[in-house]
Amino acid sequence: MKMWRGLVAALVLTGFSIPGTSVNRPVTWPVTWLLLAPAAAQSVDAIAIEGNRRVEAETIRSYFRPGPGGHLDQAAIDDGLKELVSTGLFQDVKINHAGGRVVVSVVENPVIDRVAFEGNKKIKDEQLSAEVQSKPRGTLSRPMVQSDALRIAEIYRHSGRYDVRVTPEIIERSNNRVDLVFTVDEGAKTGVKTIEFIGNNSFTAARLKDVIKTHETNFLSFLGSANIYDPDRVEADRDLIRRFYLKHGYADVQVVAALAEYDRESKGFQVTFKIDEGQQYRVATVSFRSSIAGFDPSILRSLSRVSEGSLYNVEAIEKSVEDMQIEASRRGYAFAVVRPDGERNFEAHTVGIMFRVEEGPRTYIERIDIRGNGRTRDYVIRREFDLSEGDAYNRALVDRAERRLKNLDYFKTVKITTEPGSSGDRVVLIVDLEEKSTGDFSVSGGYSTTDGALAEVSVSERNLLGRGLFAKATVSYGQYSRGLSLSFVEPYLLDYRVALGLDAYYKEQLPTTYTTYGVKTIGFAPRLGLALREDLTLQLRYSLYQQEISLDSAYNNCNNNPSNPSLAFNPTPAYIQSVLGGVDPTNSASSGLYGYGCYGDGESTLPVRRELAAGATWTSAIGYTLTYNTLDNNKNPTDGLLIDFKQDFAGVGGDVTYLKSAVDAKYYTPLVSDLIGLIHLQGGLLTKVGDNDLRMLDHFQMGPNLVRGFATNGIGPRDITYASFGAVGDALGGTKYWGASMELQMPFWFLPSEVGLKGAVYADAGSLWGYQGPTSWAATGEVNTAACKCGLQYDDENVVRTSVGVGLIWASPFGPLRFDYAVPITKGKYDIVQEFRFGGGTSF
């Protein structure tokens, strides 16, 4: 018989450290295993427990499992000891033999009374508490404490602070209780100092920096976080670069590596992307094949976004597949799957694309489970799906739903995955979401050469009450304009994909250096919007608004028509005194207007005074806008086409009638290197309807919005009744206009791309003509006849205005800013030139 006496195993762990953490004093783990083998095997009931306060003795005994015959041998005791220690409930465990029994002596780990954080300014206590495993009223486990310290450090690293140090401290209290305090030295943000690309022969580094989300640190980096090193973001940037090359024809591209090296001297990272571009491919052929009986694949040809001779574009192919698969499903082939095959010709650098239509697996959607939407209602999410429970599973429709959910801008992340259903032909869609704040409060301010200084306060909510509703209230106050507007949008009217919008507004435009009069407008405008296709939308609208002109007395205080006493007679108006040197041209025999006193003496143009006398005017109009949009980026486009065609008919009630049509087209295309070309074409036509005269306010007014280098309302028909006396009146506007512009935009290669500065050179041409408003006013005796030219005299020559200029475009953190300097080359005789133009603002 073997006798083991005094077999002792002691394990003491002291003073270890983990990178990113530190301990302010040695952490001693006094766990002693003292194994004294009994002379004979014992039963579980013979085990004595000592030192336990919270843990029941039977719970401790349960870790010792007897062998055959119900007796404990040395191996069973050893196994029980290991399991008991691994629970983390005990600070010390001893096993010895006394009086013929096995005695298990334990020292329980203290209970955590409080978990606190100190020094954490950038990350809130609530976020750290949710991440650590040590909890109040839980048992203190030193391995867990060290693990928590590592976790806190990792959280800070993901927020860009790699110099963080986390020190756990255990403060002993009475009754075997402790406080656990994590002291955090956050350190400074660790930014990306440089971003380099290796192997990019076709695109400059500046162009590729625009593609990725990570930015270099610069003097404006404090306004954002894109310069903070985040390994997950860098890895995502690899995919963005690859997708960019695949979109531009590089079918063999590989982003071999994304390396990040920390420079301790500069305390920042150098990120390097290694790229193997390969060759650029074009599409040689586009063909279709179907293995489904009765399905003609040629019906899908019109849905292809790639054509023979075009650059190979993976994004266009993916969108084509989506459209084709949805069309096949619409035609009754619910399980049809469209797969693109590419056959490369490595010598000719071409790809032959074949879209194969096959019968996919007959799989149905058992249910759709939504997770993570604490605020947003389920139906707001489900209505973005074109399929529901019981429908055939269609990956293209699922991908479209995921894209729509992302475009809602309600969620930080959206991911749709599948899990097996209750049978082999059933799947469960899992929609995982992470919500984000959807409310905005902004205070904005700006200045432009047109509107002067302007301040605006707005409150908006994109997901009102979690129901997907949009609401916004805006108040603006400026040097020349002020107003109030309220907007509301229901994106799904009666559960159809039709958006209902309601707008109510009040706007007051004050006189400026370009106009002698002010205009007050109050209105209401409901509208309906619907998507005809992914790239084609239609908006239907109705507008009801009241307009009223106001005129300073200096420009309107002369009238000797007793039938209109609202305008009192003043023999010496302020305008005549200040502008015409006290001489009334209408009392001059040489003026051809002798006898009319001060009627039409240049105080303000005749149409303005007519509309002033008419008082408030109501306009009731219906209209629509058809928009075709293939831009790659709505905020900063580099490729694609945007066309707006709109028409409005006034005369559905109200005081005025007209038909107004306008078209605006912009085409962006990348040229060489980072050079972007823009062609902008526009035109409009105002048509008189019925016998009512067109108001001056209903005419098109043009200036730098048509041809840069001219003032607001600076081109087109103008009152020149007293031009010979040096008095040129207000712009009258026209019924016809056209405009054409060519612009080249390029970044400044010597500046970091994230600064957001671009330069532009351009040439503009256009014209505005065809005034059809009032030229006479019988109420004041102003008539324009062959016998007497004593009404409105105006210049309406159809002159082509042209200009060339340069611009500076800044996507600044303070909002979009643009500076233009344009020089007119050709202009009308009475046009007003304004070579410099600036506009911009900010929100915070």
Side-chain angles (χ1 to χ4, degrees):
M1 182 178 67
K2 296 181 179 180
M3 298 293 294
W4 292 0
R5 301 179 61 86
L7 177 60
V8 179
L11 173 63
V12 180
L13 306 179
T14 61
F16 66 91
S17 63
I18 302 177
T21 69
S22 65
V23 182
N24 67 333
R25 60 185 180 185
V27 177
T28 302
W29 301 63
V31 179
T32 302
W33 298 356
L34 182 61
L35 306 180
L36 295 178
Q42 303 291 327
S43 66
V44 174
D45 295 337
I47 297 177
I49 310 297
E50 295 180 351
N52 58 311
R53 296 183 180 181
R54 298 187 308 276
V55 183
E56 298 289 341
E58 289 303 320
T59 301
I60 297 175
R61 291 191 184 99
S62 68
Y63 287 94
F64 297 89
R65 299 178 180 85
H71 294 285
L72 291 170
D73 57 17
Q74 189 58 47
I77 293 175
D78 186 51
D79 290 340
L81 172 64
K82 291 178 182 178
E83 291 189 31
L84 198 62
V85 172
S86 66
T87 64
L89 298 173
F90 306 102
Q91 184 174 328
D92 190 16
V93 179
K94 295 179 181 178
I95 297 179
N96 55 36
H97 177 72
R101 297 184 304 169
V102 173
V103 180
V104 180
S105 300
V106 298
V107 177
E108 295 177 340
N109 273 329
V111 174
I112 300 174
D113 197 34
R114 181 174 65 99
V115 178
F117 306 92
E118 295 181 358
N120 55 311
K121 299 178 181 178
K122 302 301 180 181
I123 300 180
K124 295 181 179 179
D125 287 1
E126 293 78 9
Q127 183 178 347
L128 296 179
S129 296
E131 295 292 341
V132 299
Q133 299 299 312
S134 300
K135 303 292 184 182
R137 297 181 297 278
T139 302
L140 177 71
S141 169
R142 285 175 171 78
M144 186 181 295
V145 170
Q146 294 298 329
S147 177
D148 288 340
L150 281 175
R151 178 59 183 153
I152 294 171
E154 188 65 21
I155 294 172
Y156 272 93
R157 284 172 180 155
H158 275 283
S159 66
R161 296 179 181 272
Y162 274 75
D163 289 334
V164 62
R165 295 186 63 82
V166 182
T167 304
E169 183 179 0
I170 299 171
I171 302 174
E172 297 182 359
R173 302 296 185 190
S174 59
N175 298 323
N176 200 30
R177 306 180 76 85
V178 297
D179 289 343
L180 176 58
V181 179
F182 292 96
T183 302
V184 182
D185 180 4
E186 295 180 322
K189 280 188 176 182
T190 311
V192 175
K193 296 299 181 181
T194 60
I195 299 176
E196 297 181 355
F197 300 89
I198 298 175
N200 56 312
N201 301 316
S202 303
F203 298 98
T204 64
R207 182 70 182 94
L208 295 179
K209 287 177 183 178
D210 285 338
V211 174
I212 62 178
K213 301 297 184 182
T214 303
H215 293 163
E216 292 177 338
T217 301
N218 57 62
F219 67 97
L220 292 175
S221 295
F222 70 95
L223 295 169
S225 60
N227 68 304
I228 303 304
Y229 175 71
D230 184 341
D232 294 337
R233 182 163 54 202
V234 171
E235 191 62 29
D237 287 339
R238 289 183 66 181
D239 187 60
L240 291 175
I241 295 171
R242 187 183 68 87
R243 297 279 301 179
F244 174 78
Y245 271 94
L246 289 173
K247 181 180 177 181
H248 289 84
Y250 294 85
D252 299 326
V253 66
Q254 292 184 7
V255 183
V256 180
L259 306 175
E261 183 178 356
Y262 181 69
D263 184 357
R264 294 192 177 277
E265 292 185 3
S266 63
K267 293 186 177 181
F269 281 89
Q270 176 180 325
V271 179
T272 304
F273 295 96
K274 187 176 181 180
I275 304 170
D276 182 4
E277 291 183 333
Q279 297 294 326
Q280 190 177 47
Y281 287 77
R282 290 190 173 271
V283 177
T285 58
V286 180
S287 57
F288 299 82
R289 180 179 296 176
S290 173
S291 61
I292 301 176
F295 185 83
D296 180 9
S298 62
I299 62 176
L300 303 179
R301 184 172 295 275
S302 62
L303 299 175
S304 175
R305 302 193 183 201
V306 293
S307 57
E308 296 180 6
S310 64
L311 279 178
Y312 177 77
N313 186 334
V314 166
E315 185 176 297
I317 293 173
E318 290 174 347
K319 290 182 179 179
S320 300
V321 168
E322 179 180 303
D323 292 342
M324 293 175 186
Q325 198 159 313
I326 292 172
E327 177 64 17
S329 178
R330 190 181 67 84
R331 290 175 177 267
Y333 299 88
F335 299 101
V337 177
V338 180
R339 305 184 191 278
D341 287 339
E343 184 177 349
R344 302 184 194 181
N345 185 325
F346 295 99
E347 295 180 357
H349 301 141
T350 60
V351 180
I353 299 174
M354 175 181 289
F355 293 100
R356 292 187 296 108
V357 186
E358 302 173 348
E359 186 76 24
R362 292 183 172 271
T363 306
Y364 297 88
I365 298 174
E366 183 171 312
R367 68 178 187 273
I368 300 175
D369 290 344
I370 302 173
R371 302 186 301 211
N373 58 318
R375 179 168 178 264
T376 306
R377 309 294 178 92
D378 268 20
Y379 73 85
V380 173
I381 299 165
R382 293 180 182 274
R383 68 191 184 188
E384 299 300 329
F385 287 81
D386 290 328
L387 38 72
S388 57
E389 284 89 348
D391 289 348
Y393 174 75
N394 188 314
R395 186 66 227 179
L397 292 178
V398 173
D399 290 342
R400 173 179 285 187
E402 184 173 321
R403 187 170 60 252
R404 285 173 175 171
L405 288 172
K406 290 178 180 178
N407 291 339
L408 289 177
D409 200 25
Y410 301 163
F411 312 103
K412 289 182 180 179
T413 58
V414 177
K415 188 175 183 180
I416 302 178
T417 56
T418 60
E419 291 182 357
S422 58
S423 60
D425 63 346
R426 297 287 188 271
V427 295
V428 178
L429 292 184
I430 307 297
V431 185
D432 286 308
L433 310 165
E434 183 181 357
E435 292 184 313
K436 67 178 182 180
S437 174
T438 54
D440 293 305
F441 172 78
S442 67
V443 179
S444 59
Y447 178 83
S448 75
T449 48
T450 302
D451 299 322
L454 180 69
E456 182 178 281
V457 177
S458 67
V459 179
S460 65
E461 171 57 61
R462 300 190 304 275
N463 188 15
L464 185 64
L465 302 177
R467 300 176 182 271
L469 306 174
F470 173 84
K472 183 176 182 178
T474 303
V475 178
S476 61
Y477 191 90
Q479 184 176 355
Y480 298 124
S481 65
R482 56 202 61 168
L484 167 68
S485 65
L486 301 173
S487 297
F488 174 83
V489 178
E490 163 57 80
Y492 278 81
L493 181 63
L494 302 177
D495 292 330
Y496 290 98
R497 200 178 295 277
V498 177
L500 170 66
L502 301 172
D503 297 305
Y505 54 90
Y506 167 80
K507 184 176 181 180
E508 183 178 358
Q509 189 69 38
L510 304 178
T512 68
T513 54
Y514 310 109
T515 57
T516 61
Y517 58 93
V519 181
K520 291 182 181 179
T521 306
I522 183 170
F524 170 74
R527 63 186 188 277
L528 294 175
L530 58 155
L532 305 179
R533 294 188 332 198
E534 288 291 308
D535 54 6
L536 188 64
T537 58
L538 175 67
Q539 183 192 86
L540 307 174
R541 59 181 171 273
Y542 170 74
S543 300
L544 177 66
Y545 59 90
Q546 182 193 73
Q547 283 185 311
E548 184 175 10
I549 280 185
S550 61
L551 195 60
D552 189 272
S553 59
Y555 296 98
N556 184 49
N557 56 2
C558 183
N559 178 25
N560 58 8
N561 184 354
S563 64
N564 190 2
S566 63
L567 301 179
F569 175 74
N570 182 346
T572 312
Y575 183 87
I576 297 174
Q577 289 280 22
S578 60
V579 178
L580 302 182
V583 178
D584 186 349
T586 60
N587 286 330
S588 170
S590 62
S591 70
L593 301 175
Y594 184 78
Y596 287 96
C598 56
Y599 302 140
D601 58 10
E603 291 176 309
S604 186
T605 192
L606 183 150
V608 171
R609 290 182 284 111
R610 279 194 57 169
E611 293 186 20
L612 176 69
T617 303
W618 285 94
T619 299
S620 176
I622 57 174
Y624 69 91
T625 299
L626 193 62
T627 302
Y628 177 73
N629 186 349
T630 63
L631 297 181
D632 59 344
N633 187 310
N634 288 333
K635 292 184 178 180
N636 186 26
T638 61
D639 191 16
L641 182 63
L642 175 63
I643 302 176
D644 280 330
F645 177 74
K646 60 180 67 175
Q647 283 191 307
D648 288 280
F649 171 72
V652 188
D655 302 318
V656 298
T657 58
Y658 62 76
L659 175 64
K660 184 178 288 188
S661 307
V663 62
D664 190 291
K666 295 179 180 178
Y667 175 65
Y668 295 85
T669 183
L671 303 174
V672 296
S673 188
D674 299 328
L675 197 64
I676 304 299
L678 166 62
I679 298 176
H680 184 192
L681 303 176
Q682 51 185 318
L685 177 65
L686 176 64
T687 306
K688 181 179 178 180
V689 177
D691 298 329
N692 292 341
D693 288 336
L694 292 172
R695 298 189 310 157
M696 185 194 70
L697 290 179
D698 296 327
H699 283 62
F700 296 112
Q701 295 282 2
M702 293 292 168
N705 53 334
L706 189 69
V707 181
R708 284 164 285 196
F710 293 88
T712 302
N713 301 348
I715 65 176
R718 186 173 299 278
D719 179 8
I720 58 168
T721 306
Y722 299 99
S724 60
F725 295 94
V728 178
D730 292 311
L732 303 175
T735 59
K736 306 176 186 69
Y737 75 89
W738 67 270
S741 175
M742 295 182 64
E743 180 169 305
L744 297 178
Q745 298 179 357
M746 73 291 290
F748 293 107
W749 293 277
F750 54 87
L751 292 176
S753 60
E754 52 271 21
V755 173
L757 276 174
K758 292 193 298 184
V761 294
Y762 51 82
D764 295 345
S767 185
L768 171 69
W769 75 100
Y771 173 73
Q772 294 184 18
T775 60
S776 304
W777 193 8
T780 61
E782 294 168 270
V783 294
N784 199 346
T785 65
C788 179
K789 296 293 184 181
C790 47
L792 174 66
Q793 303 294 304
Y794 61 95
D795 173 67
D796 194 8
E797 184 179 1
N798 184 9
V799 176
V800 177
R801 284 85 173 175
T802 60
S803 69
V804 293
V806 296
L808 182 64
I809 308 166
W810 186 19
S812 78
F814 311 105
L817 302 175
R818 176 151 184 158
F819 306 81
D820 282 297
Y821 181 78
V823 178
I825 299 176
T826 61
K827 63 185 184 70
K829 182 178 180 181
Y830 299 100
D831 289 345
I832 300 176
V833 172
Q834 184 187 60
E835 296 178 343
F836 175 74
R837 179 176 172 82
F838 160 76
T842 183
S843 295
F844 52 89

